[in-house]
Amino acid sequence: MKKLLLAVFALLGVALGAYLLWANAGRDLPLPASDGGFQAFTEMGGDSGRGNLVGIQPYLLPVDYSSEAAFLAKLNAYFASAKRRGVLNPKSIVVLPEYTGTWLVAMGEKRRVYAAKTSGEALQTVALSNLFAFFRAKLSTPDSTQDPTTDALFRMKAAEMAETYQRVFSGLAKKYGVTVVAGSILLPKPKVGNGQLAVGNGQLQNVSAVFRPDGSLAGIVRKAFPIEAEQKFLCAGKISDNPVFDTPAGKLGVLVCADAWFSPAYAALKAKGVELLAVPSYSMMDNAWQLPWGGYSGHPTPPDARADVGRITEGEAWQRYTMPARAPREAGIQRGINVFLRGNLWDLGTDGGTILLRDSARLAPMVNAATLSVVWL
């Protein structure tokens, strides 16, 4: 019996050693090239000294999330290009798209994660190569979540993601002396304490952080109206709880993607005296904007929009029922920018074009590449 137990333990040791070798192999990738070039440039108005809203539509790849250095290098290249164009100044507010920080969940992983054909395959590899941490995270998954696997994956990497997200965007804000609306990131009920973005213990939330020109964290905005696909793993914030931000260019409000469809969001902005609006967004699926509009995702379509369900395209609906129409009419806001994430992120697909608002609305060129858009104030 003693020999049998020794043999079993020896086999377990060999198996554990083999697993650890596999799990840790292929995690060091060279820094990917980052040219930071923009394929299109759009601007409304001219420099009057009052500042501007600068929308950076990045083109992101899985390998851009392989390390903090890779993520920083890619984004810094875009900021540097914007600086060379002369559109960044101390009153600039730079806006990145929704989910820009979310795929930091893939940071520091095996090469096969970045080469995977699907996001499901990539995330499965993340779970398998961090098996013990994944199961620990799964034990902490709230009972209320409908997708405990997704919750556990992001919970497992949350602290590292939050620290990297803050260091990168705080550093960019300080380096270029601008206000930064840092897209968004998924974290377990995050909070701000002592100027730091900290991870909480509740359900995942989709949040956007705003950094001041000195690099300090001004606060976070929580998505209040998750779409149907997000409702399986995200907890909604309260639109009335979201802060507004005093910037060198004026009082800024932030609506995370789908929140820009809802009248209560504009009522809250109006009550707080918001003058400028930033909307970080993401439209999943290639060519999504050319498809017939299916109405509000995960929420009842309001009466003023029902007649257009199935009659107009998704892209037309974004221009008719979000910031360009609702901000001036419902909140008295005449200056805003809505930026969409583009790239080749596994099989997820991307679509959308930057929408600029300066009294009237304008759609920037629809290209699946990096673009720069500016609304002068």
Side-chain angles (χ1 to χ4, degrees), residues 225-260:
F225 297 96
I227 63 172
E228 184 176 5
E230 294 173 316
Q231 291 171 4
K232 297 177 181 178
F233 54 87
L234 288 186
C235 174
K238 291 183 179 180
I239 202 72
S240 58
D241 290 345
N242 282 335
V244 298
F245 305 94
D246 290 317
T247 77
K251 190 165 285 190
L252 173 71
V254 179
L255 297 178
V256 180
C257 197
D259 290 1

mmCIF file of all heavy atoms in Angstrom, residues 225-260:
data_model
loop_
_atom_site.group_PDB
_atom_site.id
_atom_site.type_symbol
_atom_site.label_atom_id
_atom_site.label_comp_id
_atom_site.label_asym_id
_atom_site.label_seq_id
_atom_site.Cartn_x
_atom_site.Cartn_y
_atom_site.Cartn_z
ATOM 1 N N PHE A 225 -27.359 51.068 -18.286
ATOM 2 C CA PHE A 225 -28.313 50.328 -19.118
ATOM 3 C C PHE A 225 -27.573 49.282 -19.963
ATOM 4 O O PHE A 225 -27.447 49.433 -21.183
ATOM 5 C CB PHE A 225 -29.088 51.287 -20.029
ATOM 6 C CG PHE A 225 -29.941 52.282 -19.290
ATOM 7 C CD1 PHE A 225 -29.476 53.560 -19.024
ATOM 8 C CD2 PHE A 225 -31.219 51.936 -18.858
ATOM 9 C CE1 PHE A 225 -30.260 54.484 -18.340
ATOM 10 C CE2 PHE A 225 -32.013 52.847 -18.171
ATOM 11 C CZ PHE A 225 -31.537 54.122 -17.913
ATOM 12 N N PRO A 226 -27.066 48.217 -19.328
ATOM 13 C CA PRO A 226 -26.380 47.171 -20.095
ATOM 14 C C PRO A 226 -27.301 46.579 -21.154
ATOM 15 O O PRO A 226 -28.507 46.430 -20.930
ATOM 16 C CB PRO A 226 -26.022 46.118 -19.032
ATOM 17 C CG PRO A 226 -26.078 46.836 -17.737
ATOM 18 C CD PRO A 226 -27.130 47.888 -17.890
ATOM 19 N N ILE A 227 -26.725 46.239 -22.315
ATOM 20 C CA ILE A 227 -27.515 45.610 -23.359
ATOM 21 C C ILE A 227 -27.784 44.152 -22.988
ATOM 22 O O ILE A 227 -27.246 43.631 -22.005
ATOM 23 C CB ILE A 227 -26.823 45.712 -24.723
ATOM 24 C CG1 ILE A 227 -25.489 44.949 -24.712
ATOM 25 C CG2 ILE A 227 -26.605 47.180 -25.100
ATOM 26 C CD1 ILE A 227 -24.832 44.849 -26.085
ATOM 27 N N GLU A 228 -28.611 43.493 -23.791
ATOM 28 C CA GLU A 228 -29.059 42.134 -23.456
ATOM 29 C C GLU A 228 -27.891 41.179 -23.223
ATOM 30 O O GLU A 228 -27.887 40.416 -22.261
ATOM 31 C CB GLU A 228 -29.957 41.610 -24.570
ATOM 32 C CG GLU A 228 -30.559 40.238 -24.278
ATOM 33 C CD GLU A 228 -31.523 39.795 -25.360
ATOM 34 O OE1 GLU A 228 -31.657 40.504 -26.381
ATOM 35 O OE2 GLU A 228 -32.153 38.733 -25.190
ATOM 36 N N ALA A 229 -26.888 41.208 -24.103
ATOM 37 C CA ALA A 229 -25.759 40.286 -23.959
ATOM 38 C C ALA A 229 -24.982 40.545 -22.674
ATOM 39 O O ALA A 229 -24.446 39.608 -22.065
ATOM 40 C CB ALA A 229 -24.835 40.411 -25.164
ATOM 41 N N GLU A 230 -24.917 41.787 -22.228
ATOM 42 C CA GLU A 230 -24.163 42.131 -21.026
ATOM 43 C C GLU A 230 -24.909 41.789 -19.747
ATOM 44 O O GLU A 230 -24.300 41.599 -18.690
ATOM 45 C CB GLU A 230 -23.848 43.627 -21.019
ATOM 46 C CG GLU A 230 -22.911 44.088 -22.114
ATOM 47 C CD GLU A 230 -22.772 45.598 -22.148
ATOM 48 O OE1 GLU A 230 -23.800 46.291 -22.036
ATOM 49 O OE2 GLU A 230 -21.638 46.083 -22.280
ATOM 50 N N GLN A 231 -26.221 41.745 -19.815
ATOM 51 C CA GLN A 231 -27.025 41.547 -18.611
ATOM 52 C C GLN A 231 -26.786 40.194 -17.954
ATOM 53 O O GLN A 231 -27.101 40.003 -16.783
ATOM 54 C CB GLN A 231 -28.508 41.725 -18.949
ATOM 55 C CG GLN A 231 -28.867 43.169 -19.275
ATOM 56 C CD GLN A 231 -30.276 43.329 -19.809
ATOM 57 O OE1 GLN A 231 -31.051 42.359 -19.877
ATOM 58 N NE2 GLN A 231 -30.631 44.544 -20.203
ATOM 59 N N LYS A 232 -26.187 39.251 -18.686
ATOM 60 C CA LYS A 232 -25.898 37.933 -18.126
ATOM 61 C C LYS A 232 -24.757 37.973 -17.100
ATOM 62 O O LYS A 232 -24.668 37.097 -16.240
ATOM 63 C CB LYS A 232 -25.546 36.958 -19.248
ATOM 64 C CG LYS A 232 -26.675 36.717 -20.233
ATOM 65 C CD LYS A 232 -26.236 35.800 -21.362
ATOM 66 C CE LYS A 232 -27.351 35.586 -22.370
ATOM 67 N NZ LYS A 232 -26.931 34.724 -23.502
ATOM 68 N N PHE A 233 -23.896 38.989 -17.214
ATOM 69 C CA PHE A 233 -22.743 39.015 -16.296
ATOM 70 C C PHE A 233 -22.461 40.393 -15.700
ATOM 71 O O PHE A 233 -21.562 40.523 -14.881
ATOM 72 C CB PHE A 233 -21.482 38.499 -17.007
ATOM 73 C CG PHE A 233 -21.141 39.194 -18.291
ATOM 74 C CD1 PHE A 233 -20.376 40.340 -18.293
ATOM 75 C CD2 PHE A 233 -21.602 38.696 -19.498
ATOM 76 C CE1 PHE A 233 -20.061 40.978 -19.474
ATOM 77 C CE2 PHE A 233 -21.291 39.337 -20.693
ATOM 78 C CZ PHE A 233 -20.519 40.482 -20.682
ATOM 79 N N LEU A 234 -23.207 41.435 -16.109
ATOM 80 C CA LEU A 234 -22.965 42.778 -15.589
ATOM 81 C C LEU A 234 -24.081 43.239 -14.669
ATOM 82 O O LEU A 234 -25.249 42.919 -14.882
ATOM 83 C CB LEU A 234 -22.852 43.786 -16.731
ATOM 84 C CG LEU A 234 -21.601 43.750 -17.598
ATOM 85 C CD1 LEU A 234 -21.629 44.920 -18.579
ATOM 86 C CD2 LEU A 234 -20.335 43.805 -16.763
ATOM 87 N N CYS A 235 -23.693 44.010 -13.684
ATOM 88 C CA CYS A 235 -24.635 44.681 -12.785
ATOM 89 C C CYS A 235 -24.741 46.139 -13.228
ATOM 90 O O CYS A 235 -23.722 46.793 -13.453
ATOM 91 C CB CYS A 235 -24.138 44.588 -11.349
ATOM 92 S SG CYS A 235 -25.124 45.514 -10.159
ATOM 93 N N ALA A 236 -25.963 46.633 -13.353
ATOM 94 C CA ALA A 236 -26.170 48.014 -13.802
ATOM 95 C C ALA A 236 -25.863 49.002 -12.681
ATOM 96 O O ALA A 236 -26.156 48.751 -11.507
ATOM 97 C CB ALA A 236 -27.612 48.194 -14.268
ATOM 98 N N GLY A 237 -25.285 50.127 -13.044
ATOM 99 C CA GLY A 237 -25.141 51.230 -12.111
ATOM 100 C C GLY A 237 -26.403 52.080 -12.120
ATOM 101 O O GLY A 237 -27.352 51.793 -12.869
ATOM 102 N N LYS A 238 -26.421 53.130 -11.323
ATOM 103 C CA LYS A 238 -27.550 54.057 -11.300
ATOM 104 C C LYS A 238 -27.149 55.339 -12.004
ATOM 105 O O LYS A 238 -26.165 55.978 -11.634
ATOM 106 C CB LYS A 238 -27.970 54.356 -9.858
ATOM 107 C CG LYS A 238 -28.598 53.176 -9.137
ATOM 108 C CD LYS A 238 -29.050 53.580 -7.738
ATOM 109 C CE LYS A 238 -29.692 52.413 -7.012
ATOM 110 N NZ LYS A 238 -30.131 52.799 -5.632
ATOM 111 N N ILE A 239 -27.923 55.703 -13.021
ATOM 112 C CA ILE A 239 -27.560 56.872 -13.812
ATOM 113 C C ILE A 239 -27.480 58.129 -12.959
ATOM 114 O O ILE A 239 -26.644 59.003 -13.187
ATOM 115 C CB ILE A 239 -28.544 57.050 -14.992
ATOM 116 C CG1 ILE A 239 -27.906 57.893 -16.101
ATOM 117 C CG2 ILE A 239 -29.868 57.637 -14.542
ATOM 118 C CD1 ILE A 239 -26.847 57.214 -16.884
ATOM 119 N N SER A 240 -28.323 58.222 -11.942
ATOM 120 C CA SER A 240 -28.337 59.413 -11.089
ATOM 121 C C SER A 240 -27.102 59.503 -10.194
ATOM 122 O O SER A 240 -26.769 60.581 -9.695
ATOM 123 C CB SER A 240 -29.594 59.433 -10.217
ATOM 124 O OG SER A 240 -29.664 58.264 -9.418
ATOM 125 N N ASP A 241 -26.412 58.379 -9.985
ATOM 126 C CA ASP A 241 -25.222 58.368 -9.129
ATOM 127 C C ASP A 241 -23.942 58.759 -9.868
ATOM 128 O O ASP A 241 -22.922 59.021 -9.234
ATOM 129 C CB ASP A 241 -25.021 56.974 -8.524
ATOM 130 C CG ASP A 241 -26.091 56.630 -7.487
ATOM 131 O OD1 ASP A 241 -26.793 57.550 -7.046
ATOM 132 O OD2 ASP A 241 -26.211 55.437 -7.143
ATOM 133 N N ASN A 242 -23.988 58.772 -11.191
ATOM 134 C CA ASN A 242 -22.772 59.054 -11.945
ATOM 135 C C ASN A 242 -22.352 60.515 -11.795
ATOM 136 O O ASN A 242 -23.189 61.417 -11.887
ATOM 137 C CB ASN A 242 -22.979 58.723 -13.428
ATOM 138 C CG ASN A 242 -22.896 57.234 -13.681
ATOM 139 O OD1 ASN A 242 -22.263 56.506 -12.928
ATOM 140 N ND2 ASN A 242 -23.537 56.776 -14.742
ATOM 141 N N PRO A 243 -21.069 60.752 -11.561
ATOM 142 C CA PRO A 243 -20.599 62.128 -11.370
ATOM 143 C C PRO A 243 -20.475 62.871 -12.691
ATOM 144 O O PRO A 243 -20.484 62.270 -13.776
ATOM 145 C CB PRO A 243 -19.217 61.932 -10.745
ATOM 146 C CG PRO A 243 -18.744 60.639 -11.325
ATOM 147 C CD PRO A 243 -19.970 59.766 -11.450
ATOM 148 N N VAL A 244 -20.362 64.171 -12.602
ATOM 149 C CA VAL A 244 -19.931 64.987 -13.737
ATOM 150 C C VAL A 244 -18.573 65.566 -13.351
ATOM 151 O O VAL A 244 -18.200 65.581 -12.171
ATOM 152 C CB VAL A 244 -20.949 66.097 -14.075
ATOM 153 C CG1 VAL A 244 -22.279 65.483 -14.471
ATOM 154 C CG2 VAL A 244 -21.127 67.045 -12.909
ATOM 155 N N PHE A 245 -17.832 66.054 -14.332
ATOM 156 C CA PHE A 245 -16.435 66.396 -14.102
ATOM 157 C C PHE A 245 -16.156 67.839 -14.523
ATOM 158 O O PHE A 245 -16.460 68.241 -15.648
ATOM 159 C CB PHE A 245 -15.534 65.440 -14.887
ATOM 160 C CG PHE A 245 -15.795 63.992 -14.570
ATOM 161 C CD1 PHE A 245 -16.662 63.241 -15.352
ATOM 162 C CD2 PHE A 245 -15.208 63.392 -13.469
ATOM 163 C CE1 PHE A 245 -16.920 61.914 -15.057
ATOM 164 C CE2 PHE A 245 -15.466 62.065 -13.158
ATOM 165 C CZ PHE A 245 -16.326 61.321 -13.953
ATOM 166 N N ASP A 246 -15.561 68.582 -13.597
ATOM 167 C CA ASP A 246 -15.119 69.933 -13.912
ATOM 168 C C ASP A 246 -13.762 69.845 -14.607
ATOM 169 O O ASP A 246 -12.782 69.388 -14.022
ATOM 170 C CB ASP A 246 -15.003 70.767 -12.632
ATOM 171 C CG ASP A 246 -16.361 71.074 -12.021
ATOM 172 O OD1 ASP A 246 -17.285 71.422 -12.784
ATOM 173 O OD2 ASP A 246 -16.503 70.946 -10.789
ATOM 174 N N THR A 247 -13.735 70.245 -15.869
ATOM 175 C CA THR A 247 -12.504 70.189 -16.658
ATOM 176 C C THR A 247 -12.101 71.597 -17.083
ATOM 177 O O THR A 247 -12.917 72.522 -17.008
ATOM 178 C CB THR A 247 -12.698 69.330 -17.920
ATOM 179 O OG1 THR A 247 -13.416 70.083 -18.905
ATOM 180 C CG2 THR A 247 -13.456 68.037 -17.612
ATOM 181 N N PRO A 248 -10.885 71.795 -17.544
ATOM 182 C CA PRO A 248 -10.478 73.121 -18.032
ATOM 183 C C PRO A 248 -11.333 73.635 -19.192
ATOM 184 O O PRO A 248 -11.359 74.838 -19.456
ATOM 185 C CB PRO A 248 -9.027 72.890 -18.473
ATOM 186 C CG PRO A 248 -8.553 71.754 -17.635
ATOM 187 C CD PRO A 248 -9.741 70.860 -17.501
ATOM 188 N N ALA A 249 -12.055 72.719 -19.862
ATOM 189 C CA ALA A 249 -12.887 73.122 -21.004
ATOM 190 C C ALA A 249 -14.351 73.306 -20.632
ATOM 191 O O ALA A 249 -15.132 73.821 -21.438
ATOM 192 C CB ALA A 249 -12.778 72.075 -22.115
ATOM 193 N N GLY A 250 -14.746 72.891 -19.428
ATOM 194 C CA GLY A 250 -16.142 72.989 -19.026
ATOM 195 C C GLY A 250 -16.603 71.741 -18.303
ATOM 196 O O GLY A 250 -15.825 70.804 -18.072
ATOM 197 N N LYS A 251 -17.880 71.736 -17.959
ATOM 198 C CA LYS A 251 -18.442 70.632 -17.175
ATOM 199 C C LYS A 251 -18.763 69.461 -18.103
ATOM 200 O O LYS A 251 -19.568 69.574 -19.034
ATOM 201 C CB LYS A 251 -19.689 71.109 -16.435
ATOM 202 C CG LYS A 251 -20.205 70.100 -15.410
ATOM 203 C CD LYS A 251 -21.195 70.715 -14.438
ATOM 204 C CE LYS A 251 -20.485 71.582 -13.409
ATOM 205 N NZ LYS A 251 -21.389 72.011 -12.321
ATOM 206 N N LEU A 252 -18.133 68.322 -17.826
ATOM 207 C CA LEU A 252 -18.190 67.153 -18.696
ATOM 208 C C LEU A 252 -19.065 66.049 -18.117
ATOM 209 O O LEU A 252 -18.945 65.701 -16.944
ATOM 210 C CB LEU A 252 -16.771 66.607 -18.908
ATOM 211 C CG LEU A 252 -16.643 65.276 -19.660
ATOM 212 C CD1 LEU A 252 -16.970 65.458 -21.141
ATOM 213 C CD2 LEU A 252 -15.226 64.699 -19.484
ATOM 214 N N GLY A 253 -19.920 65.481 -18.966
ATOM 215 C CA GLY A 253 -20.669 64.283 -18.624
ATOM 216 C C GLY A 253 -20.210 63.127 -19.492
ATOM 217 O O GLY A 253 -19.747 63.328 -20.624
ATOM 218 N N VAL A 254 -20.323 61.902 -18.968
ATOM 219 C CA VAL A 254 -19.931 60.697 -19.704
ATOM 220 C C VAL A 254 -21.086 59.706 -19.665
ATOM 221 O O VAL A 254 -21.613 59.394 -18.588
ATOM 222 C CB VAL A 254 -18.666 60.049 -19.106
ATOM 223 C CG1 VAL A 254 -18.303 58.778 -19.879
ATOM 224 C CG2 VAL A 254 -17.496 61.033 -19.103
ATOM 225 N N LEU A 255 -21.487 59.222 -20.824
ATOM 226 C CA LEU A 255 -22.475 58.159 -20.934
ATOM 227 C C LEU A 255 -21.817 56.972 -21.616
ATOM 228 O O LEU A 255 -21.282 57.108 -22.721
ATOM 229 C CB LEU A 255 -23.695 58.613 -21.741
ATOM 230 C CG LEU A 255 -24.514 59.768 -21.165
ATOM 231 C CD1 LEU A 255 -25.660 60.133 -22.104
ATOM 232 C CD2 LEU A 255 -25.057 59.422 -19.782
ATOM 233 N N VAL A 256 -21.824 55.816 -20.961
ATOM 234 C CA VAL A 256 -21.162 54.640 -21.520
ATOM 235 C C VAL A 256 -22.093 53.945 -22.508
ATOM 236 O O VAL A 256 -23.102 53.352 -22.120
ATOM 237 C CB VAL A 256 -20.707 53.670 -20.413
ATOM 238 C CG1 VAL A 256 -20.016 52.454 -21.034
ATOM 239 C CG2 VAL A 256 -19.772 54.370 -19.432
ATOM 240 N N CYS A 257 -21.782 54.062 -23.762
ATOM 241 C CA CYS A 257 -22.432 53.380 -24.882
ATOM 242 C C CYS A 257 -23.960 53.445 -24.837
ATOM 243 O O CYS A 257 -24.548 54.483 -25.109
ATOM 244 C CB CYS A 257 -21.947 51.938 -24.958
ATOM 245 S SG CYS A 257 -22.297 51.169 -26.575
ATOM 246 N N ALA A 258 -24.633 52.338 -24.482
ATOM 247 C CA ALA A 258 -26.092 52.263 -24.558
ATOM 248 C C ALA A 258 -26.793 53.285 -23.688
ATOM 249 O O ALA A 258 -27.958 53.626 -23.952
ATOM 250 C CB ALA A 258 -26.553 50.850 -24.179
ATOM 251 N N ASP A 259 -26.130 53.802 -22.669
ATOM 252 C CA ASP A 259 -26.760 54.830 -21.821
ATOM 253 C C ASP A 259 -27.164 56.053 -22.647
ATOM 254 O O ASP A 259 -28.084 56.783 -22.269
ATOM 255 C CB ASP A 259 -25.811 55.259 -20.699
ATOM 256 C CG ASP A 259 -25.605 54.166 -19.656
ATOM 257 O OD1 ASP A 259 -26.187 53.065 -19.814
ATOM 258 O OD2 ASP A 259 -24.865 54.400 -18.691
ATOM 259 N N ALA A 260 -26.496 56.262 -23.786
ATOM 260 C CA ALA A 260 -26.781 57.426 -24.620
ATOM 261 C C ALA A 260 -28.122 57.327 -25.337
ATOM 262 O O ALA A 260 -28.563 58.287 -25.965
ATOM 263 C CB ALA A 260 -25.669 57.612 -25.654
#
